[in-house]
Amino acid sequence: MTSTCPHCGWPDSQLFRVVSRHATAAGLTVWARCACGSLQVREVGAAGARIVSRGRPDLVPGCPA
Ligand SMILES: [Zn+2]
């Protein structure tokens, strides 16, 4: 995975902080928080990990980015 966080540029390949993990039928769903505070949901399966959704940093309320 070569993408980076659009908010702070943190590489998605490096988990900053894992919030929780949930086993699903597809594999594993991992909630993680980025260095900038945005929350992301990853799906980890046999094909690898992909980011399902990504929240905004909650450390800077009102920021249009
Ligand atoms: Zn970030």
Side-chain angles (χ1 to χ4, degrees):
M1 192 182 297
T2 56
S3 58
T4 58
C5 173
H7 304 296
C8 69
W10 188 271
D12 287 332
S13 57
Q14 295 182 34
L15 274 173
F16 182 74
R17 179 174 299 168
V18 174
V19 179
S20 64
R21 302 170 192 259
H22 305 277
T24 67
L28 197 65
T29 298
V30 179
W31 289 69
R33 194 172 287 282
C34 184
C36 63
S38 70
L39 197 63
Q40 56 184 232
V41 183
R42 296 167 179 243
E43 239 177 42
V44 184
R50 70 186 184 94
I51 293 184
V52 180
S53 78
R54 193 198 304 268
R56 292 183 176 187
D58 54 15
L59 300 178
V60 279
C63 177

